[in-house]
Structure formats: structure tokens, C-alpha cells
Amino acid sequence: MSTSDKSEAFYKKLKIQLQDTTLWPSEYLYKFIVITDASKIKKLSNLFDNQGAVITTKESKNGKYTSVSINVKMKNPDAVITKYKEVAKKIEDVISL
């Protein structure tokens, strides 16, 4: 199974879980890990600009990585998944949790 097949299977499962457990529109908490780099963190934050997102960051103990939590109101599971895909496409080496 290719990486893109695994990704699509993951997103399909996530969509079902979101549909079954949440009333939409709803707040959704995204969590990402990036190498500590101000430009990457800024770029990630900018992807959620003008959406009323609450963004918090926390550096790892050794400062090599930064976790970025983004709490934002999303209209439906498809919007959540679209945003995950946008982040993966536009930010190199990001880990989505």
C-alpha cells in the first residue's frame, strides 16, 4: 500500500469518526509538531489566519521541536481534513497528531 493510499485511508477513517462523535460546526483542536524554526511556525499560523483560531506553541525541552496547537471552529469534517491536507502540502516536515 502506497503512502498516499495510507493517507486516504486515514482521512476516510477520521471523517467517519468526526461525523459520529461531533455536532458540526464545532471547535476542533489541531496539533502539529515542527522543527523549531520561526518561519515554519509563522507559515503554519498563517494558514489559520482570519478564522478566529487560538494558537499556542511550546518548545520541546531541548528546543529542537515546537508543538503547535490550534483551536478553531470548523464547519464540518471535510473542512477539517482539507486543512490537514493543506498543512501537509505547504509545510515541509510537519507532523500532524
Side-chain angles (χ1 to χ4, degrees):
M1 185 180 280
S2 73
T3 302
S4 81
D5 289 343
K6 289 179 185 176
S7 294
E8 285 307 313
F10 168 78
Y11 289 129
K12 189 174 184 178
K13 182 178 175 183
L14 176 62
K15 181 177 179 177
I16 291 168
Q17 289 174 334
L18 292 173
Q19 288 171 330
D20 290 348
T21 61
T22 308
L23 293 173
W24 297 95
S26 183
E27 294 282 323
Y28 186 79
L29 179 63
Y30 290 91
K31 288 189 163 248
F32 302 101
I33 296 175
V34 294
I35 292 173
T36 300
D37 173 343
S39 66
K40 278 191 179 192
I41 295 167
K42 176 84 171 143
K43 194 173 184 181
L44 180 57
S45 297
N46 287 344
L47 291 176
F48 291 87
D49 254 4
N50 301 319
Q51 294 182 354
V54 177
I55 301 171
T56 56
T57 61
K58 183 179 179 190
E59 273 191 28
S60 63
K61 188 165 48 169
N62 66 8
K64 186 173 181 179
Y65 298 97
T66 298
S67 74
V68 181
S69 298
I70 302 170
N71 198 351
V72 62
K73 189 167 199 158
M74 300 303 285
K75 63 181 179 180
N76 59 40
D78 289 325
V80 170
I81 292 166
T82 298
K83 190 56 82 172
Y84 271 123
K85 289 179 178 180
E86 180 183 7
V87 168
K89 183 178 180 181
K90 294 186 176 181
I91 300 177
E92 191 176 311
D93 299 325
V94 66
I95 299 170
S96 301
L97 303 175

Coordinates of all heavy atoms in Angstrom, one line a residue:
M1 N 0.9 -1.2 0.0 CA 0.0 0.0 0.0 C 0.9 1.2 0.0 O 1.8 1.4 0.8 CB -0.9 0.0 1.2 CG -1.9 1.1 1.3 SD -3.0 1.1 2.7 CE -4.2 -0.1 2.3
S2 N 0.6 2.2 -0.9 CA 1.5 3.4 -1.0 C 1.2 4.4 0.1 O 0.1 4.2 0.8 CB 1.3 4.0 -2.4 OG 0.0 4.7 -2.4
T3 N 2.0 5.3 0.3 CA 1.8 6.3 1.3 C 0.5 7.1 1.1 O -0.2 7.4 2.0 CB 3.0 7.3 1.4 OG1 4.2 6.6 1.6 CG2 2.9 8.3 2.5
S4 N 0.2 7.5 -0.2 CA -1.0 8.2 -0.4 C -2.2 7.4 -0.2 O -3.2 7.9 0.3 CB -1.0 8.8 -1.8 OG -1.4 7.8 -2.8
D5 N -2.2 6.1 -0.4 CA -3.3 5.2 -0.1 C -3.5 5.1 1.4 O -4.6 5.1 1.9 CB -3.0 3.7 -0.6 CG -3.1 3.6 -2.1 OD1 -3.7 4.6 -2.7 OD2 -2.6 2.6 -2.7
K6 N -2.4 5.0 2.2 CA -2.5 5.0 3.6 C -3.1 6.4 4.1 O -3.9 6.4 5.0 CB -1.1 4.8 4.3 CG -0.6 3.4 4.1 CD 0.8 3.3 4.7 CE 1.4 1.9 4.5 NZ 2.7 1.8 5.0
S7 N -2.6 7.5 3.5 CA -3.2 8.8 3.9 C -4.7 8.9 3.7 O -5.4 9.3 4.5 CB -2.5 9.9 3.2 OG -1.1 10.0 3.5
E8 N -5.1 8.4 2.5 CA -6.5 8.5 2.2 C -7.3 7.6 3.1 O -8.4 7.9 3.5 CB -6.8 8.1 0.7 CG -6.3 9.2 -0.2 CD -7.0 10.6 0.1 OE1 -8.2 10.7 0.3 OE2 -6.2 11.6 0.1
A9 N -6.8 6.4 3.4 CA -7.5 5.5 4.4 C -7.6 6.2 5.8 O -8.6 6.1 6.4 CB -6.8 4.2 4.5
F10 N -6.5 6.9 6.2 CA -6.5 7.6 7.5 C -7.6 8.7 7.4 O -8.4 8.8 8.4 CB -5.2 8.2 7.7 CG -5.2 9.2 8.9 CD1 -5.2 8.7 10.2 CD2 -5.2 10.5 8.6 CE1 -5.3 9.6 11.2 CE2 -5.3 11.4 9.7 CZ -5.3 11.0 11.0
Y11 N -7.6 9.5 6.4 CA -8.6 10.6 6.3 C -10.1 10.1 6.2 O -11.0 10.7 6.8 CB -8.3 11.5 5.1 CG -7.1 12.3 5.3 CD1 -6.1 12.4 4.4 CD2 -6.9 13.1 6.5 CE1 -4.9 13.1 4.6 CE2 -5.7 13.8 6.7 CZ -4.8 13.8 5.7 OH -3.6 14.6 5.9
K12 N -10.3 9.0 5.5 CA -11.6 8.4 5.5 C -12.1 7.9 6.9 O -13.2 8.2 7.3 CB -11.6 7.2 4.5 CG -12.9 6.6 4.2 CD -12.8 5.5 3.1 CE -14.1 5.0 2.7 NZ -14.1 4.0 1.6
K13 N -11.2 7.3 7.6 CA -11.5 6.8 9.0 C -11.7 8.0 9.9 O -12.7 8.1 10.7 CB -10.3 6.0 9.5 CG -10.6 5.4 10.9 CD -9.4 4.6 11.3 CE -9.6 4.1 12.8 NZ -8.5 3.3 13.3
L14 N -10.9 9.1 9.7 CA -11.1 10.3 10.5 C -12.4 10.9 10.3 O -13.1 11.4 11.2 CB -9.9 11.3 10.3 CG -10.0 12.6 11.0 CD1 -10.0 12.5 12.5 CD2 -8.9 13.6 10.5
K15 N -12.8 11.0 9.0 CA -14.1 11.6 8.7 C -15.2 10.9 9.3 O -16.1 11.5 9.9 CB -14.3 11.7 7.1 CG -15.5 12.3 6.7 CD -15.7 12.4 5.2 CE -17.0 13.0 4.8 NZ -17.1 13.1 3.3
I16 N -15.2 9.6 9.3 CA -16.3 8.8 9.9 C -16.3 9.1 11.4 O -17.4 9.3 12.0 CB -16.1 7.3 9.6 CG1 -16.4 7.1 8.1 CG2 -17.0 6.5 10.5 CD1 -16.0 5.7 7.6
Q17 N -15.1 9.1 12.0 CA -15.1 9.3 13.5 C -15.6 10.7 13.8 O -16.4 10.9 14.8 CB -13.6 9.2 14.0 CG -13.1 7.8 14.0 CD -11.7 7.7 14.4 OE1 -10.9 8.6 14.2 NE2 -11.3 6.6 14.9
L18 N -15.2 11.7 13.0 CA -15.7 13.1 13.3 C -17.2 13.2 13.1 O -17.9 13.9 13.9 CB -15.0 14.1 12.4 CG -13.5 14.3 12.7 CD1 -12.8 15.2 11.6 CD2 -13.3 14.9 14.1
Q19 N -17.7 12.5 12.1 CA -19.2 12.6 11.9 C -19.9 11.9 13.0 O -21.0 12.4 13.4 CB -19.5 11.9 10.5 CG -19.1 12.6 9.3 CD -19.3 11.8 8.0 OE1 -19.1 10.6 8.0 NE2 -19.5 12.5 6.9
D20 N -19.4 10.8 13.5 CA -20.1 10.1 14.6 C -20.0 10.7 16.0 O -20.8 10.4 16.8 CB -19.5 8.6 14.6 CG -19.9 7.8 13.4 OD1 -20.7 8.2 12.6 OD2 -19.3 6.7 13.2
T21 N -19.0 11.5 16.2 CA -18.7 12.0 17.6 C -18.9 13.5 17.8 O -18.9 13.9 18.9 CB -17.3 11.7 18.0 OG1 -16.4 12.3 17.1 CG2 -17.0 10.2 18.0
T22 N -19.2 14.2 16.7 CA -19.3 15.7 16.9 C -20.4 16.3 16.1 O -20.8 15.8 15.0 CB -18.0 16.3 16.3 OG1 -16.8 15.6 16.9 CG2 -17.9 17.8 16.6
L23 N -21.1 17.3 16.7 CA -22.1 18.1 16.1 C -21.4 19.2 15.4 O -20.7 20.0 16.0 CB -23.2 18.6 17.1 CG -24.0 17.5 17.7 CD1 -24.9 18.1 18.8 CD2 -24.9 16.8 16.7
W24 N -21.7 19.4 14.1 CA -21.0 20.5 13.3 C -21.9 21.6 13.1 O -23.1 21.4 12.9 CB -20.5 19.9 12.0 CG -19.5 18.8 12.3 CD1 -19.7 17.5 12.4 CD2 -18.1 19.0 12.6 NE1 -18.5 16.8 12.8 CE2 -17.5 17.8 12.9 CE3 -17.3 20.1 12.7 CZ2 -16.2 17.6 13.2 CZ3 -15.9 20.0 13.0 CH2 -15.4 18.7 13.3
P25 N -21.4 22.9 13.0 CA -20.0 23.3 13.2 C -19.5 23.1 14.6 O -20.4 23.2 15.5 CB -20.0 24.7 12.7 CG -21.4 25.2 12.9 CD -22.3 24.0 12.7
S26 N -18.2 23.0 14.8 CA -17.7 22.7 16.1 C -16.2 23.2 16.2 O -15.6 23.3 15.2 CB -17.8 21.2 16.4 OG -17.3 20.9 17.7
E27 N -15.8 23.4 17.5 CA -14.4 23.7 17.7 C -13.6 22.4 17.4 O -14.0 21.3 17.8 CB -14.2 24.1 19.2 CG -14.8 25.4 19.5 CD -14.0 26.6 19.1 OE1 -12.8 26.6 19.1 OE2 -14.7 27.6 18.7
Y28 N -12.4 22.6 16.8 CA -11.5 21.4 16.5 C -10.1 21.8 16.9 O -9.7 22.9 16.6 CB -11.6 21.0 15.0 CG -10.8 19.8 14.8 CD1 -11.4 18.5 15.1 CD2 -9.5 19.8 14.3 CE1 -10.6 17.4 14.9 CE2 -8.8 18.7 14.1 CZ -9.4 17.4 14.4 OH -8.6 16.3 14.2
L29 N -9.5 20.9 17.6 CA -8.1 21.1 18.1 C -7.1 20.4 17.2 O -7.1 19.2 17.2 CB -7.9 20.7 19.5 CG -6.5 20.9 20.1 CD1 -6.1 22.4 20.1 CD2 -6.5 20.3 21.5
Y30 N -6.4 21.2 16.4 CA -5.3 20.6 15.6 C -4.0 20.6 16.4 O -3.8 21.6 17.2 CB -5.0 21.5 14.4 CG -6.1 21.5 13.3 CD1 -7.1 22.4 13.3 CD2 -6.0 20.6 12.3 CE1 -8.1 22.4 12.3 CE2 -7.0 20.5 11.3 CZ -8.0 21.5 11.3 OH -9.0 21.4 10.3
K31 N -3.2 19.6 16.3 CA -1.9 19.6 16.9 C -0.8 19.2 15.9 O -1.0 18.2 15.2 CB -1.9 18.6 18.1 CG -2.7 19.1 19.3 CD -2.4 18.2 20.5 CE -2.9 18.9 21.7 NZ -1.8 19.2 22.6
F32 N 0.2 20.0 15.9 CA 1.3 19.7 14.9 C 2.6 19.8 15.7 O 2.7 20.5 16.7 CB 1.3 20.8 13.8 CG 0.0 20.8 13.0 CD1 -0.9 21.8 13.3 CD2 -0.3 19.9 12.0 CE1 -2.1 21.9 12.6 CE2 -1.4 20.0 11.3 CZ -2.4 21.0 11.6
I33 N 3.6 19.1 15.1 CA 5.0 19.3 15.6 C 5.9 19.7 14.4 O 5.8 19.0 13.3 CB 5.5 18.0 16.2 CG1 4.7 17.6 17.5 CG2 7.0 18.1 16.6 CD1 5.0 16.3 18.1
V34 N 6.7 20.7 14.6 CA 7.6 21.2 13.6 C 8.9 21.4 14.2 O 9.1 21.6 15.4 CB 7.1 22.5 12.9 CG1 5.8 22.3 12.1 CG2 7.0 23.6 13.9
I35 N 10.0 21.3 13.3 CA 11.3 21.7 13.8 C 11.2 23.2 14.2 O 10.6 24.0 13.5 CB 12.3 21.5 12.7 CG1 12.5 20.0 12.4 CG2 13.7 22.1 13.0 CD1 13.3 19.7 11.2
T36 N 11.8 23.5 15.3 CA 11.8 24.9 15.8 C 12.4 25.8 14.8 O 13.7 25.8 14.6 CB 12.4 25.0 17.2 OG1 11.7 24.2 18.1 CG2 12.4 26.4 17.7
D37 N 11.6 26.5 14.1 CA 12.0 27.5 13.1 C 10.9 28.5 13.0 O 9.8 28.2 12.6 CB 12.2 26.7 11.7 CG 12.4 27.6 10.5 OD1 12.2 28.8 10.6 OD2 12.9 27.0 9.5
A38 N 11.2 29.7 13.3 CA 10.2 30.8 13.4 C 9.4 30.9 12.1 O 8.2 31.2 12.1 CB 10.9 32.1 13.8
S39 N 10.1 30.8 10.9 CA 9.4 30.9 9.7 C 8.4 29.8 9.4 O 7.3 30.0 8.9 CB 10.4 31.0 8.5 OG 11.1 29.8 8.3
K40 N 8.7 28.6 9.9 CA 7.8 27.5 9.7 C 6.6 27.7 10.6 O 5.4 27.4 10.2 CB 8.4 26.1 10.0 CG 9.2 25.6 8.9 CD 9.6 24.1 9.2 CE 10.4 23.6 8.0 NZ 10.6 22.2 8.0
I41 N 6.8 28.1 11.9 CA 5.7 28.3 12.8 C 4.8 29.4 12.3 O 3.6 29.3 12.4 CB 6.3 28.6 14.2 CG1 7.0 27.3 14.7 CG2 5.2 29.0 15.2 CD1 7.9 27.6 15.9
K42 N 5.4 30.5 11.8 CA 4.6 31.6 11.2 C 3.8 31.1 10.1 O 2.6 31.5 9.9 CB 5.6 32.7 10.9 CG 5.0 33.9 10.2 CD 4.4 34.9 11.2 CE 4.0 36.2 10.5 NZ 2.8 36.7 11.1
K43 N 4.4 30.4 9.2 CA 3.7 29.9 8.0 C 2.5 29.0 8.4 O 1.4 29.1 7.8 CB 4.7 29.1 7.1 CG 4.2 28.8 5.8 CD 5.3 28.1 5.0 CE 4.9 27.9 3.5 NZ 6.0 27.2 2.8
L44 N 2.7 28.2 9.4 CA 1.6 27.3 9.9 C 0.5 28.2 10.5 O -0.7 28.0 10.2 CB 2.2 26.4 11.0 CG 1.2 25.4 11.6 CD1 0.5 24.5 10.6 CD2 1.9 24.5 12.6
S45 N 0.9 29.2 11.3 CA -0.1 30.1 11.9 C -0.9 30.8 10.8 O -2.1 31.0 10.9 CB 0.6 31.1 12.8 OG 1.2 30.4 13.9
N46 N -0.2 31.2 9.8 CA -0.8 32.0 8.7 C -1.9 31.2 8.0 O -2.8 31.8 7.4 CB 0.2 32.5 7.7 CG 1.0 33.7 8.3 OD1 0.7 34.3 9.3 ND2 2.2 33.9 7.6
L47 N -1.7 29.9 7.9 CA -2.7 29.0 7.3 C -4.1 29.1 8.0 O -5.1 28.7 7.4 CB -2.2 27.6 7.2 CG -1.1 27.3 6.2 CD1 -0.6 25.9 6.3 CD2 -1.4 27.7 4.8
F48 N -4.1 29.5 9.2 CA -5.3 29.6 10.0 C -5.7 31.1 10.3 O -6.6 31.3 11.1 CB -5.1 28.9 11.4 CG -5.0 27.4 11.2 CD1 -3.8 26.8 10.9 CD2 -6.2 26.6 11.2 CE1 -3.7 25.4 10.7 CE2 -6.1 25.2 11.0 CZ -4.9 24.6 10.8
D49 N -5.1 32.0 9.6 CA -5.4 33.4 9.8 C -6.8 33.7 9.4 O -7.4 33.1 8.5 CB -4.5 34.3 8.8 CG -3.4 35.0 9.6 OD1 -3.3 34.8 10.8 OD2 -2.7 35.8 9.0
N50 N -7.4 34.7 10.1 CA -8.8 35.2 9.8 C -9.8 34.1 10.0 O -10.9 34.2 9.4 CB -8.8 35.8 8.4 CG -7.9 36.9 8.2 OD1 -7.7 37.7 9.0 ND2 -7.2 36.9 7.0
Q51 N -9.5 33.1 10.8 CA -10.5 32.1 11.1 C -10.9 32.1 12.6 O -11.6 31.2 13.1 CB -10.0 30.7 10.7 CG -9.8 30.6 9.2 CD -9.4 29.2 8.8 OE1 -9.0 28.3 9.6 NE2 -9.3 29.0 7.5
G52 N -10.4 33.0 13.4 CA -10.6 33.1 14.8 C -9.9 32.0 15.6 O -10.3 31.6 16.7
A53 N -8.8 31.5 15.1 CA -8.0 30.4 15.7 C -7.3 30.9 16.9 O -6.8 32.0 16.9 CB -7.1 29.8 14.7
V54 N -7.2 30.1 17.9 CA -6.4 30.3 19.1 C -5.2 29.4 19.0 O -5.4 28.2 18.9 CB -7.2 30.0 20.4 CG1 -6.3 30.2 21.6 CG2 -8.4 30.9 20.5
I55 N -4.0 30.0 18.9 CA -2.8 29.2 18.6 C -1.9 29.3 19.8 O -1.6 30.4 20.2 CB -2.1 29.8 17.3 CG1 -3.1 29.7 16.1 CG2 -0.8 29.0 17.0 CD1 -2.7 30.4 14.9
T56 N -1.4 28.2 20.2 CA -0.4 28.1 21.3 C 0.8 27.3 20.8 O 0.6 26.3 20.1 CB -1.0 27.5 22.6 OG1 -1.5 26.2 22.3 CG2 -2.1 28.4 23.2
T57 N 2.0 27.7 21.3 CA 3.2 26.9 20.9 C 3.9 26.5 22.2 O 3.8 27.2 23.2 CB 4.1 27.7 20.0 OG1 4.5 28.9 20.7 CG2 3.4 28.1 18.7
K58 N 4.7 25.5 22.1 CA 5.5 25.0 23.2 C 6.7 24.3 22.6 O 6.6 23.3 21.9 CB 4.7 24.1 24.1 CG 5.5 23.7 25.3 CD 4.7 22.8 26.3 CE 5.6 22.4 27.4 NZ 5.0 21.3 28.2
E59 N 7.9 24.8 23.0 CA 9.1 24.2 22.6 C 9.4 22.9 23.4 O 9.1 22.9 24.6 CB 10.3 25.2 22.7 CG 10.5 26.1 21.6 CD 11.9 26.8 21.7 OE1 12.8 26.3 22.3 OE2 11.9 27.9 21.1
S60 N 10.1 22.0 22.7 CA 10.5 20.8 23.4 C 11.6 21.2 24.4 O 12.2 22.3 24.4 CB 11.0 19.7 22.4 OG 12.2 20.2 21.8
K61 N 11.9 20.2 25.3 CA 12.9 20.5 26.4 C 14.2 20.9 25.8 O 14.9 21.9 26.3 CB 13.1 19.3 27.2 CG 13.9 19.5 28.5 CD 13.8 18.5 29.6 CE 14.0 17.1 29.1 NZ 14.1 16.1 30.3
N62 N 14.7 20.3 24.7 CA 16.0 20.7 24.1 C 15.9 21.8 23.1 O 16.9 22.2 22.5 CB 16.7 19.4 23.5 CG 16.0 18.8 22.4 OD1 15.0 19.4 21.9 ND2 16.4 17.7 21.9
G63 N 14.6 22.2 22.8 CA 14.4 23.3 21.9 C 14.5 23.0 20.4 O 14.3 23.8 19.5
K64 N 14.6 21.7 20.1 CA 14.7 21.3 18.7 C 13.4 21.3 17.9 O 13.3 21.6 16.7 CB 15.4 19.9 18.6 CG 15.7 19.5 17.1 CD 16.4 18.2 17.1 CE 16.7 17.8 15.6 NZ 17.5 16.6 15.5
Y65 N 12.3 21.0 18.7 CA 11.0 20.9 18.1 C 10.0 21.8 18.8 O 10.2 22.2 20.0 CB 10.4 19.5 18.1 CG 11.3 18.5 17.3 CD1 12.2 17.7 18.0 CD2 11.1 18.4 16.0 CE1 13.0 16.8 17.2 CE2 11.9 17.5 15.2 CZ 12.8 16.7 15.9 OH 13.6 15.9 15.2
T66 N 9.0 22.2 18.1 CA 7.9 23.0 18.7 C 6.6 22.4 18.4 O 6.3 22.0 17.3 CB 7.9 24.5 18.2 OG1 9.2 25.1 18.5 CG2 6.8 25.3 18.8
S67 N 5.7 22.2 19.5 CA 4.4 21.8 19.2 C 3.5 23.0 19.0 O 3.7 24.0 19.7 CB 3.9 20.9 20.4 OG 3.6 21.7 21.5
V68 N 2.6 22.9 18.1 CA 1.7 24.0 17.8 C 0.3 23.4 17.9 O -0.1 22.5 17.2 CB 1.9 24.5 16.4 CG1 1.0 25.7 16.1 CG2 3.4 25.0 16.2
S69 N -0.5 24.0 18.8 CA -1.9 23.6 19.0 C -2.8 24.8 18.5 O -2.5 25.9 18.8 CB -2.2 23.4 20.5 OG -1.4 22.4 21.0
I70 N -3.7 24.4 17.6 CA -4.6 25.4 17.0 C -6.0 25.0 17.2 O -6.5 23.9 16.8 CB -4.3 25.5 15.5 CG1 -2.8 25.8 15.3 CG2 -5.2 26.5 14.8 CD1 -2.3 25.7 13.9
N71 N -6.7 25.8 18.0 CA -8.1 25.6 18.3 C -9.0 26.5 17.4 O -8.8 27.7 17.5 CB -8.4 25.8 19.8 CG -9.7 25.2 20.2 OD1 -10.5 24.7 19.4 ND2 -10.0 25.2 21.5
V72 N -9.8 26.0 16.6 CA -10.5 26.8 15.6 C -11.9 26.2 15.3 O -12.0 24.9 15.3 CB -9.7 26.9 14.3 CG1 -9.5 25.6 13.6 CG2 -10.3 28.0 13.3
K73 N -12.9 27.0 15.0 CA -14.2 26.5 14.7 C -14.2 26.1 13.2 O -13.8 26.8 12.4 CB -15.3 27.6 14.9 CG -16.7 27.1 14.8 CD -17.7 28.1 15.4 CE -19.0 27.3 15.7 NZ -19.7 28.0 16.6
M74 N -14.6 24.8 13.0 CA -14.7 24.3 11.6 C -16.1 23.9 11.3 O -16.9 23.6 12.2 CB -13.8 23.0 11.5 CG -12.3 23.3 11.8 SD -11.5 24.5 10.8 CE -11.3 23.7 9.3
K75 N -16.5 24.0 10.0 CA -17.9 23.8 9.7 C -18.3 22.4 9.5 O -19.5 22.0 9.8 CB -18.2 24.6 8.4 CG -17.5 24.2 7.2 CD -17.9 25.1 6.0 CE -17.2 24.7 4.8 NZ -17.5 25.5 3.6
N76 N -17.3 21.5 9.2 CA -17.7 20.1 9.0 C -16.4 19.2 8.9 O -15.3 19.8 8.8 CB -18.6 19.9 7.8 CG -17.9 20.3 6.5 OD1 -16.7 20.1 6.3 ND2 -18.7 21.0 5.7
P77 N -16.5 17.9 9.0 CA -15.4 17.0 8.9 C -14.5 17.2 7.6 O -13.3 17.1 7.6 CB -15.9 15.6 8.9 CG -17.2 15.8 9.7 CD -17.8 17.1 9.3
D78 N -15.2 17.5 6.5 CA -14.5 17.8 5.2 C -13.6 19.0 5.4 O -12.4 19.0 4.9 CB -15.4 18.0 4.1 CG -16.1 16.7 3.7 OD1 -15.5 15.6 3.8 OD2 -17.3 16.7 3.3
A79 N -14.0 20.0 6.0 CA -13.2 21.2 6.2 C -12.0 20.9 7.1 O -10.9 21.4 6.9 CB -14.0 22.3 6.9
V80 N -12.1 20.0 8.1 CA -11.0 19.6 9.0 C -10.0 18.9 8.2 O -8.8 19.2 8.2 CB -11.6 18.7 10.1 CG1 -10.4 18.1 10.9 CG2 -12.5 19.5 11.1
I81 N -10.4 18.0 7.3 CA -9.5 17.2 6.5 C -8.8 18.0 5.5 O -7.6 17.9 5.2 CB -10.2 16.0 5.9 CG1 -10.6 15.0 7.1 CG2 -9.4 15.3 4.9 CD1 -11.6 13.9 6.7
T82 N -9.6 18.9 4.9 CA -9.0 19.8 3.9 C -7.8 20.6 4.5 O -6.8 20.8 3.8 CB -10.1 20.7 3.3 OG1 -11.0 19.9 2.6 CG2 -9.5 21.7 2.3
K83 N -8.0 21.1 5.7 CA -7.0 21.9 6.3 C -5.8 21.0 6.7 O -4.6 21.5 6.5 CB -7.5 22.5 7.6 CG -6.6 23.6 8.2 CD -6.3 24.7 7.3 CE -7.3 25.7 7.2 NZ -6.8 26.9 6.4
Y84 N -6.0 19.8 7.1 CA -4.8 18.9 7.4 C -4.0 18.7 6.1 O -2.8 18.7 6.1 CB -5.3 17.5 7.8 CG -5.5 17.4 9.3 CD1 -6.7 17.0 9.9 CD2 -4.4 17.6 10.2 CE1 -6.8 16.8 11.2 CE2 -4.5 17.4 11.5 CZ -5.7 17.0 12.1 OH -5.9 16.8 13.4
K85 N -4.7 18.5 5.0 CA -4.0 18.3 3.7 C -3.3 19.5 3.2 O -2.2 19.4 2.7 CB -5.0 17.8 2.6 CG -5.5 16.4 2.8 CD -6.6 16.0 1.8 CE -7.0 14.6 1.9 NZ -8.0 14.2 0.9
E86 N -3.9 20.7 3.5 CA -3.2 22.0 3.1 C -2.0 22.2 3.9 O -0.9 22.5 3.3 CB -4.2 23.1 3.4 CG -3.6 24.5 3.0 CD -4.6 25.6 3.4 OE1 -5.6 25.4 4.0 OE2 -4.2 26.8 3.0
V87 N -2.0 21.9 5.2 CA -0.8 22.0 6.0 C 0.3 21.0 5.5 O 1.4 21.4 5.4 CB -1.1 21.7 7.5 CG1 0.1 21.6 8.3 CG2 -2.0 22.9 8.1
A88 N -0.1 19.8 5.3 CA 0.9 18.8 4.8 C 1.5 19.2 3.5 O 2.7 18.9 3.3 CB 0.2 17.4 4.7
K89 N 0.8 19.8 2.6 CA 1.3 20.2 1.3 C 2.2 21.4 1.4 O 3.1 21.5 0.7 CB 0.0 20.5 0.4 CG 0.4 20.9 -1.0 CD -0.8 21.1 -1.8 CE -0.5 21.5 -3.3 NZ -1.7 21.7 -4.1
K90 N 1.9 22.4 2.3 CA 2.6 23.7 2.3 C 3.7 23.8 3.3 O 4.5 24.7 3.2 CB 1.6 24.8 2.5 CG 0.6 24.9 1.4 CD -0.3 26.1 1.6 CE -1.2 26.3 0.4 NZ -2.1 27.4 0.5
I91 N 3.8 22.8 4.3 CA 4.8 22.9 5.3 C 5.6 21.6 5.3 O 5.0 20.6 5.6 CB 4.2 23.3 6.7 CG1 3.5 24.6 6.6 CG2 5.3 23.3 7.7 CD1 2.8 25.1 7.8
E92 N 6.9 21.8 5.0 CA 7.7 20.6 4.9 C 8.0 20.0 6.3 O 8.2 20.8 7.3 CB 9.0 21.0 4.3 CG 10.0 19.9 3.9 CD 11.2 20.4 3.2 OE1 11.0 21.2 2.2 OE2 12.3 20.0 3.5
D93 N 8.1 18.7 6.4 CA 8.4 18.0 7.7 C 7.5 18.3 8.8 O 8.0 18.2 10.0 CB 9.9 18.3 8.1 CG 10.9 17.9 7.0 OD1 10.6 16.8 6.3 OD2 11.9 18.6 6.8
V94 N 6.3 18.6 8.6 CA 5.3 18.8 9.7 C 4.7 17.4 10.1 O 4.5 16.6 9.3 CB 4.2 19.8 9.3 CG1 3.3 19.2 8.3 CG2 3.4 20.2 10.6
I95 N 4.5 17.2 11.4 CA 3.9 16.0 11.9 C 2.5 16.4 12.4 O 2.4 17.3 13.3 CB 4.8 15.4 13.0 CG1 6.1 15.0 12.5 CG2 4.0 14.2 13.6 CD1 7.1 14.6 13.6
S96 N 1.5 15.8 11.9 CA 0.2 16.0 12.4 C -0.2 15.0 13.4 O 0.0 13.8 13.2 CB -0.8 15.9 11.2 OG -0.5 16.9 10.2
L97 N -0.8 15.4 14.5 CA -1.2 14.5 15.6 C -2.7 14.4 15.7 O -3.4 15.3 15.3 CB -0.6 14.9 17.0 CG 0.9 15.1 17.0 CD1 1.3 15.6 18.4 CD2 1.6 13.8 16.8

